[in-house]
Amino acid sequence: MAAANPPAPPANVYFGGQAVIEGVMIRGPEHMAVAVRHPKGHIVTHSEKLGGIYTGRSRRIPLMRGVVVLWETMALGMRALNYSSRIAFEEDTDENGEPAEFPEKVFFGTMALALVFVVGIFFAGPILLANLLAMVDAHRIVIVAVEGVVRLVLFVGYIWLIGLVPDIRRVFQYHGAEHMTIHAYEARKPLIVSEIRPFPKEHTRCGTSFLLVVVFVALITFFIFDLLVDKGLIVRTASRIVFMPIVAGISYEILRIGARFGGNWFVHAMFVPNIALQALTTKVPDDGQIEVAIASFKATLEAAGLGPTPEGDGEHHEIAGALAASPPLD
């Protein structure tokens, strides 16, 4: 029997996800799933219902939801990455073959270290480098502009550099598979490799795009602040941390506009740099990697009680509008 196209999902319901080690995590409005290619060749999946901050009212409040999504992207990403690494390397499994629980203290410690790294490298670092220009009496406008450019160069350079590592390149292939699978679902195509293959590996809701928007919004925000307030290096550094929730909130609202009005030529033009950056963070996947992305997407749909997946010949249940929240990032 020919594969059936699924009914179109409601316009305000989105699926996102992340690539992990030898796998893909897909996140829906209230559920998430991780699928990982086991070293023996089969695919291992895990799904769960989300609650608390991941589905709460804060995800519906403009500006605040950007901060929530940024946090959950890191938190869920770390959990999925931990799960995938233990499957991929066959480490710390229980009697059922499932990875052992990730200690909560270790989880928050890892998150804290990640935040320190981000703040130190991408925020404090550019300030200190740009401030060297003060030694040659450079104008404040020049110093602030150089800081923003240095931050952008560090961000793009970091992504380019890690992409040279073979294992990271495979993660980027799974990233492409995740995007292509979400494209196919949103286009009401059956979730099979041959139908997914023609879709682009780039997606406007990509988390990389979100980070790039954050870099640009931060550049403008900090530029204005430094022109209005001149209180020295310590205040400038502190302002970068204090304003980050505002920057994240504005950036996410911009990303929502791109997702909703992507067909508009002006909005499309605004997001050309985002799509261009994904040439570094996504690579063309092989069929096996697309199969893993499909397995993750199926597991998320099934966990949400959405019935047969799009290639099935049964009825594909429409998701209730009550599940809709701010869209997750790809």
Side-chain angles (χ1 to χ4, degrees):
M1 182 177 293
N5 290 350
N12 60 345
V13 175
Y14 299 88
F15 288 85
Q18 291 176 248
V20 292
I21 298 174
E22 292 300 325
V24 171
M25 182 268 282
I26 295 292
R27 193 252 198 251
E30 290 188 346
H31 298 80
M32 66 165 283
V34 185
V36 184
R37 179 74 69 179
H38 192 277
K40 295 181 180 179
H42 61 281
I43 299 175
V44 179
T45 61
H46 166 78
S47 61
E48 62 183 75
K49 182 177 175 61
L50 301 173
I53 192 173
Y54 301 118
T55 57
R57 293 182 179 179
S58 59
R59 287 182 55 85
R60 296 171 174 80
I61 302 175
L63 295 181
M64 180 182 292
R65 57 191 172 193
V67 180
V68 173
V69 170
L70 183 60
W71 166 260
E72 78 167 30
T73 298
M74 295 180 62
L76 293 182
M78 289 294 297
R79 287 168 56 188
L81 186 62
N82 171 68
Y83 179 88
S84 68
S85 65
R86 298 187 180 200
I87 291 294
F89 300 114
E90 298 185 281
E91 297 177 351
D92 301 325
T93 56
D94 59 22
E95 64 274 7
N96 298 318
E98 286 285 317
E101 288 293 324
F102 194 36
E104 187 173 352
K105 291 182 179 179
V106 176
F107 171 75
F108 283 107
T110 304
M111 288 287 290
L113 287 176
L115 288 173
V116 169
F117 174 81
V118 170
V119 172
I121 298 298
F122 296 106
F123 288 94
I127 292 176
L128 296 175
L129 289 174
N131 199 62
L132 294 176
L133 294 175
M135 299 173 61
V136 294
D137 296 325
H139 194 280
R140 223 167 18 122
I141 293 179
V142 175
I143 295 175
V144 176
V146 169
E147 176 198 334
V149 172
V150 169
R151 183 174 292 114
L152 178 61
V153 170
L154 282 176
F155 175 66
V156 176
Y158 172 76
I159 292 176
W160 172 79
L161 187 62
I162 64 173
L164 299 178
V165 179
D167 288 343
I168 299 298
R169 186 177 180 85
R170 283 192 60 80
V171 173
F172 287 170
Q173 285 182 286
Y174 279 107
H175 192 191
E178 174 231 323
H179 285 180
M180 293 163 68
T181 303
I182 291 175
H183 274 305
Y185 181 80
E186 292 174 341
R188 304 176 58 196
K189 295 294 184 180
L191 296 186
I192 56 178
V193 174
S194 59
E195 293 286 349
I196 291 173
R197 175 62 67 186
F199 284 92
K201 59 184 180 65
E202 299 84 11
H203 200 293
T204 55
R205 289 201 316 275
C206 178
T208 307
S209 296
F210 180 42
L211 295 177
L212 183 61
V213 174
V214 166
V215 171
F216 277 111
V217 173
L219 190 156
I220 297 172
T221 303
F222 299 153
F223 186 83
I224 295 174
F225 175 82
D226 287 353
L227 289 182
L228 297 177
V229 180
D230 183 14
K231 295 295 183 179
L233 184 61
I234 295 178
V235 172
R236 286 180 59 209
T237 304
S239 70
R240 281 25 177 189
I241 300 174
V242 172
F243 284 138
M244 271 314 299
I246 299 174
V247 169
I250 295 173
S251 300
Y252 187 69
E253 298 306 319
I254 293 174
L255 200 67
R256 284 177 61 92
I257 293 174
R260 185 173 182 182
F261 302 104
N264 180 278
W265 70 267
F266 180 74
V267 174
H268 176 77
M270 285 177 56
F271 281 83
V272 167
N274 294 0
I275 299 299
L277 182 63
Q278 291 179 52
L280 296 178
T281 63
T282 60
K283 303 298 178 184
V284 177
D286 59 35
D287 289 353
Q289 291 166 325
I290 295 177
E291 289 171 356
V292 173
I294 292 172
S296 182
F297 207 106
K298 283 183 180 180
T300 303
L301 292 175
E302 291 167 2
L306 299 183
T309 51
E311 74 274 24
D313 38 340
E315 179 183 1
H316 182 77
H317 302 292
E318 291 209 10
I319 187 168
L323 291 179
S326 53
L329 300 174
D330 286 340

